[in-house]
Amino acid sequence: MFPHSRREFLPFLRSHWRSLLLVLLGVLIPFGLFAHLTSEVFREGGFSWDQGVLDWYAQRRTPALTWAAETLATLGGVTVLPFVTLLLAWLLAGRGGRAHGWFLVSGVVGATLLNVTAKVVFQRPRPDELLALLNEPGFSFPSGHAMSNAAFGFALTLVFWRSRAGWPVAVLGLLWALAVGASRNYLGVHYPSDVLAGFTASVAWVAGLYTVMARRWPQLRGSPAGPRDTR
């Protein structure tokens, strides 16, 4: 029985190794990190370095950096990011990448809904308002800006990964997510563990969503511009 199973299993690994690697690196490991962060925050009261990082940012604030952080908060918030996401999805659909557009919208919307649910469940208070530069309502864990913008950047990376623009989009998506996450700590409205939890939760969600949607729409694994642009 085992040799027969092995003859079937090895070809399966060779033909599906990319999907299996995505599940491992994109879903299981990030979800495990999110679970660890959640456990430490609510069982041990958080991390000792949480406040230390916020103090480090507070000591290095300048008018220019504050303007940049507030601009990122606006661009990555509910007043801009949803419209940018819908615009990009519309442009993708116009180039024949309708499945890619739906995946992008589903990734960002799903991450946002998961974030709202998590905040209601965990109800972690925000950092000390005396150190915060903005007055943000609601709870702190996980960071909504970090989660939605990480979902946006990672989803865009997967959309364009098989195209000629794959690497540039991946670098820009990563830098955007990191910049928005750092701005939340700089502004003093989220602990670093809130941002890390948002990152890991979004990666797990988007990777899992991609795995499911790509089975229904195989064209999602190619470039949105079609076979000519697929590498």
Side-chain angles (χ1 to χ4, degrees):
M1 179 181 294
F2 179 76
H4 178 71
S5 300
R6 184 176 61 182
R7 286 195 299 268
E8 295 179 347
F9 185 66
L10 292 179
F12 171 80
L13 286 179
R14 284 194 293 267
S15 60
H16 295 87
W17 68 269
R18 288 187 178 88
S19 297
L20 293 172
L21 187 63
L22 180 63
V23 171
L24 175 63
L25 299 180
V27 180
L28 297 181
I29 292 178
F31 181 78
L33 292 174
F34 175 77
H36 172 69
L37 288 168
T38 304
S39 174
E40 289 295 323
V41 166
F42 296 100
R43 186 181 63 184
E44 304 296 337
F47 296 90
S48 59
W49 42 265
D50 261 337
Q51 189 60 49
V53 172
L54 294 184
D55 293 339
W56 185 88
Y57 275 111
Q59 294 167 6
R60 288 159 177 80
R61 287 170 177 164
T62 66
L65 288 176
T66 299
W67 175 85
E70 291 176 343
T71 301
L72 286 171
T74 301
L75 294 177
V78 295
T79 58
V80 177
L81 183 63
F83 300 101
V84 172
T85 302
L86 290 174
L87 176 61
L88 289 176
W90 178 74
L91 293 174
L92 287 168
R95 296 193 63 184
R98 183 174 299 178
H100 299 79
W102 278 114
F103 167 68
L104 176 62
V105 172
S106 300
V108 176
V109 171
T112 303
L113 294 176
L114 287 173
N115 178 263
V116 172
T117 303
K119 284 186 174 182
V120 171
V121 170
F122 297 123
Q123 298 188 9
R124 185 187 194 185
R126 289 186 182 270
D128 187 353
E129 293 182 356
L130 296 177
L131 290 178
L133 294 178
L134 296 179
N135 183 19
E136 293 277 5
F139 298 108
S140 189
F141 184 91
S143 167
H145 274 72
M147 196 163 174
S148 58
N149 285 276
F152 175 77
F154 188 34
L156 273 183
T157 297
L158 293 176
V159 163
F160 288 99
W161 184 243
R162 297 297 302 278
S163 73
R164 295 186 181 93
W167 276 109
V169 171
V171 172
L172 289 175
L174 175 63
L175 292 177
W176 174 257
L178 291 176
V180 172
S183 72
R184 307 310 285 167
N185 295 151
Y186 177 91
L187 294 170
V189 293
H190 280 292
Y191 293 105
S193 54
D194 298 333
V195 172
L196 290 175
F199 285 165
T200 55
S202 275
V203 170
W205 159 249
V206 172
L209 179 68
Y210 181 84
T211 303
V212 173
M213 289 188 67
R215 292 179 63 87
R216 174 61 179 83
W217 294 282
Q219 63 269 33
L220 194 58
R221 297 190 178 95
S223 168
R228 292 183 178 180
D229 188 51
T230 300
R231 56 184 176 87

Short mmCIF file of all heavy atoms in Angstrom, two decimals, residues 179-202:
data_model
loop_
_atom_site.label_atom_id
_atom_site.label_comp_id
_atom_site.label_asym_id
_atom_site.label_seq_id
_atom_site.Cartn_x
_atom_site.Cartn_y
_atom_site.Cartn_z
N ALA A 179 5.52 50.90 6.16
CA ALA A 179 5.43 52.33 6.45
C ALA A 179 4.16 52.66 7.22
O ALA A 179 4.19 53.43 8.19
CB ALA A 179 5.50 53.12 5.14
N VAL A 180 3.03 52.10 6.79
CA VAL A 180 1.78 52.36 7.49
C VAL A 180 1.84 51.79 8.91
O VAL A 180 1.41 52.45 9.88
CB VAL A 180 0.59 51.76 6.72
CG1 VAL A 180 -0.70 51.85 7.55
CG2 VAL A 180 0.40 52.48 5.39
N GLY A 181 2.38 50.59 9.07
CA GLY A 181 2.49 50.00 10.40
C GLY A 181 3.37 50.83 11.32
O GLY A 181 3.01 51.08 12.49
N ALA A 182 4.52 51.28 10.81
CA ALA A 182 5.42 52.11 11.62
C ALA A 182 4.77 53.43 11.99
O ALA A 182 4.97 53.95 13.11
CB ALA A 182 6.72 52.35 10.87
N SER A 183 3.96 53.99 11.09
CA SER A 183 3.30 55.26 11.38
C SER A 183 2.32 55.14 12.54
O SER A 183 2.13 56.09 13.30
CB SER A 183 2.58 55.78 10.13
OG SER A 183 1.42 55.02 9.84
N ARG A 184 1.71 53.97 12.70
CA ARG A 184 0.77 53.78 13.81
C ARG A 184 1.49 53.80 15.15
O ARG A 184 0.97 54.31 16.14
CB ARG A 184 0.00 52.47 13.64
CG ARG A 184 -0.68 52.29 12.32
CD ARG A 184 -1.52 53.50 11.94
NE ARG A 184 -2.76 53.56 12.71
CZ ARG A 184 -3.53 54.63 12.75
NH1 ARG A 184 -3.18 55.74 12.14
NH2 ARG A 184 -4.66 54.61 13.45
N ASN A 185 2.70 53.25 15.18
CA ASN A 185 3.50 53.30 16.39
C ASN A 185 4.05 54.71 16.62
O ASN A 185 4.09 55.20 17.76
CB ASN A 185 4.67 52.32 16.31
CG ASN A 185 4.22 50.88 16.25
OD1 ASN A 185 4.90 50.04 15.67
ND2 ASN A 185 3.06 50.56 16.82
N TYR A 186 4.48 55.37 15.57
CA TYR A 186 5.00 56.74 15.68
C TYR A 186 3.93 57.67 16.24
O TYR A 186 4.22 58.52 17.11
CB TYR A 186 5.45 57.23 14.30
CG TYR A 186 5.93 58.66 14.28
CD1 TYR A 186 7.26 58.97 14.49
CD2 TYR A 186 5.02 59.71 14.06
CE1 TYR A 186 7.69 60.29 14.48
CE2 TYR A 186 5.44 61.02 14.05
CZ TYR A 186 6.79 61.31 14.26
OH TYR A 186 7.21 62.62 14.26
N LEU A 187 2.71 57.53 15.77
CA LEU A 187 1.61 58.38 16.24
C LEU A 187 1.13 58.01 17.63
O LEU A 187 0.36 58.75 18.23
CB LEU A 187 0.44 58.32 15.25
CG LEU A 187 0.70 58.90 13.86
CD1 LEU A 187 -0.43 58.55 12.92
CD2 LEU A 187 0.90 60.41 13.93
N GLY A 188 1.56 56.86 18.14
CA GLY A 188 1.22 56.45 19.49
C GLY A 188 -0.18 55.91 19.66
O GLY A 188 -0.71 55.88 20.78
N VAL A 189 -0.81 55.46 18.56
CA VAL A 189 -2.19 54.99 18.64
C VAL A 189 -2.28 53.46 18.69
O VAL A 189 -3.37 52.92 18.86
CB VAL A 189 -3.02 55.53 17.46
CG1 VAL A 189 -3.17 57.03 17.58
CG2 VAL A 189 -2.40 55.16 16.13
N HIS A 190 -1.14 52.77 18.51
CA HIS A 190 -1.12 51.32 18.57
C HIS A 190 0.21 50.85 19.17
O HIS A 190 1.26 51.45 18.93
CB HIS A 190 -1.26 50.69 17.18
CG HIS A 190 -2.66 50.63 16.68
ND1 HIS A 190 -3.63 49.82 17.24
CD2 HIS A 190 -3.27 51.29 15.67
CE1 HIS A 190 -4.76 49.98 16.59
NE2 HIS A 190 -4.58 50.87 15.63
N TYR A 191 0.14 49.77 19.92
CA TYR A 191 1.36 49.09 20.37
C TYR A 191 1.99 48.36 19.19
O TYR A 191 1.30 47.98 18.23
CB TYR A 191 1.03 48.08 21.46
CG TYR A 191 0.54 48.67 22.75
CD1 TYR A 191 -0.81 48.59 23.10
CD2 TYR A 191 1.42 49.29 23.63
CE1 TYR A 191 -1.27 49.13 24.29
CE2 TYR A 191 0.97 49.83 24.83
CZ TYR A 191 -0.38 49.75 25.15
OH TYR A 191 -0.83 50.29 26.32
N PRO A 192 3.30 48.14 19.22
CA PRO A 192 3.94 47.36 18.16
C PRO A 192 3.34 45.96 18.00
O PRO A 192 3.24 45.45 16.88
CB PRO A 192 5.41 47.28 18.62
CG PRO A 192 5.60 48.50 19.45
CD PRO A 192 4.30 48.74 20.13
N SER A 193 2.93 45.33 19.10
CA SER A 193 2.31 44.01 19.00
C SER A 193 0.97 44.07 18.29
O SER A 193 0.56 43.10 17.64
CB SER A 193 2.15 43.39 20.39
OG SER A 193 1.46 44.26 21.27
N ASP A 194 0.27 45.21 18.35
CA ASP A 194 -0.97 45.38 17.58
C ASP A 194 -0.67 45.34 16.09
O ASP A 194 -1.40 44.73 15.30
CB ASP A 194 -1.63 46.73 17.90
CG ASP A 194 -2.06 46.85 19.35
OD1 ASP A 194 -2.33 45.82 19.99
OD2 ASP A 194 -2.12 47.99 19.84
N VAL A 195 0.41 46.02 15.70
CA VAL A 195 0.80 46.08 14.29
C VAL A 195 1.26 44.71 13.80
O VAL A 195 0.86 44.26 12.72
CB VAL A 195 1.90 47.14 14.09
CG1 VAL A 195 2.46 47.09 12.67
CG2 VAL A 195 1.35 48.53 14.40
N LEU A 196 2.09 44.04 14.58
CA LEU A 196 2.56 42.71 14.18
C LEU A 196 1.40 41.73 14.05
O LEU A 196 1.36 40.92 13.12
CB LEU A 196 3.58 42.20 15.20
CG LEU A 196 4.93 42.90 15.23
CD1 LEU A 196 5.79 42.36 16.37
CD2 LEU A 196 5.66 42.74 13.90
N ALA A 197 0.46 41.81 14.97
CA ALA A 197 -0.71 40.93 14.89
C ALA A 197 -1.52 41.22 13.64
O ALA A 197 -2.02 40.29 12.98
CB ALA A 197 -1.58 41.09 16.14
N GLY A 198 -1.65 42.49 13.29
CA GLY A 198 -2.36 42.85 12.07
C GLY A 198 -1.69 42.31 10.83
O GLY A 198 -2.33 41.79 9.92
N PHE A 199 -0.34 42.40 10.81
CA PHE A 199 0.41 41.86 9.67
C PHE A 199 0.20 40.36 9.52
O PHE A 199 -0.11 39.86 8.44
CB PHE A 199 1.90 42.15 9.85
CG PHE A 199 2.30 43.58 9.60
CD1 PHE A 199 3.53 44.05 10.03
CD2 PHE A 199 1.45 44.45 8.95
CE1 PHE A 199 3.91 45.36 9.80
CE2 PHE A 199 1.82 45.77 8.72
CZ PHE A 199 3.06 46.23 9.16
N THR A 200 0.39 39.62 10.60
CA THR A 200 0.31 38.16 10.51
C THR A 200 -1.09 37.69 10.18
O THR A 200 -1.27 36.76 9.39
CB THR A 200 0.77 37.52 11.84
OG1 THR A 200 0.00 38.05 12.94
CG2 THR A 200 2.25 37.81 12.11
N ALA A 201 -2.10 38.33 10.76
CA ALA A 201 -3.48 37.94 10.47
C ALA A 201 -3.82 38.19 9.00
O ALA A 201 -4.48 37.37 8.35
CB ALA A 201 -4.45 38.70 11.38
N SER A 202 -3.35 39.31 8.45
CA SER A 202 -3.65 39.63 7.06
C SER A 202 -2.96 38.66 6.10
O SER A 202 -3.55 38.24 5.11
CB SER A 202 -3.22 41.06 6.74
OG SER A 202 -4.23 41.97 7.08
#
